[in-house]
């Protein structure tokens, strides 16, 4: 039987929830007897936003915000049938 692979890229703004989801997926996949490669941390993407505090009064007064997106990569090599592994993972 030819090995099948699944590549999963997970993205989140909260790294704690992302790591928790990765641990849960790895635990379930190992329980089914498949092989997991990863998690591999991918580069974070950061978006910056500058907003006027009050559009009518002072142009020099501004607020700055940022959104950081964390990413993880998982490769799953399935040794059994693919349906067992896919059905065992939670539906996120």
């Amino acid at each position: 039987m030819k090995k099948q692979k699944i590549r999963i890229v997970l993205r989140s703004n909260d790294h704690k929830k992302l790591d928790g989801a990765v641990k849960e997926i790895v635990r379930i996949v190992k329980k089914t007897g498949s092989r997991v490669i990863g998690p591999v941390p991918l580069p974070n993407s950061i978006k910056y936003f500058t907003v006027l505090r009050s559009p009518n009064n002072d142009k020099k007064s501004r607020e700055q915000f940022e959104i950081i997106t964390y990413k993880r990569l998982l490769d799953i090599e399935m040794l059994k049938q693919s349906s067992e592994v896919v059905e065992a993972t939670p539906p996120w």
Side-chain angles (χ1 to χ4, degrees):
M1 183 174 127
K2 186 177 179 181
K3 290 183 183 179
Q4 293 182 340
K5 291 185 180 181
I6 296 177
R7 176 164 283 179
I8 302 172
V9 178
L10 299 166
R11 295 182 181 95
S12 177
N13 293 333
D14 186 4
H15 66 89
K16 292 179 184 176
K17 288 184 181 180
L18 180 65
D19 291 336
V22 168
K23 285 180 185 178
E24 183 72 18
I25 291 172
V26 168
R27 184 185 63 80
I28 291 171
V29 170
K30 286 185 178 181
K31 188 171 79 173
T32 60
S34 297
R35 184 173 168 230
V36 179
I37 302 169
V40 178
L42 298 175
N44 301 333
S45 63
I46 303 173
K47 291 184 181 181
Y48 297 101
F49 299 96
T50 302
V51 180
L52 292 173
R53 288 185 190 208
S54 176
N56 296 330
N57 295 341
D58 192 6
K59 175 88 174 178
K60 295 179 183 178
S61 176
R62 299 176 185 217
E63 285 187 276
Q64 295 181 334
F65 302 97
E66 67 181 21
I67 297 176
I68 302 174
T69 304
Y70 303 95
K71 299 177 222 168
R72 302 288 185 269
L73 173 72
L74 285 173
D75 281 338
I76 301 171
E77 289 183 356
M78 293 182 284
L79 306 175
K80 297 182 180 180
Q81 292 182 354
S82 62
S83 61
E84 292 178 17
V85 175
V86 174
E87 288 176 6
T89 56
W92 289 316

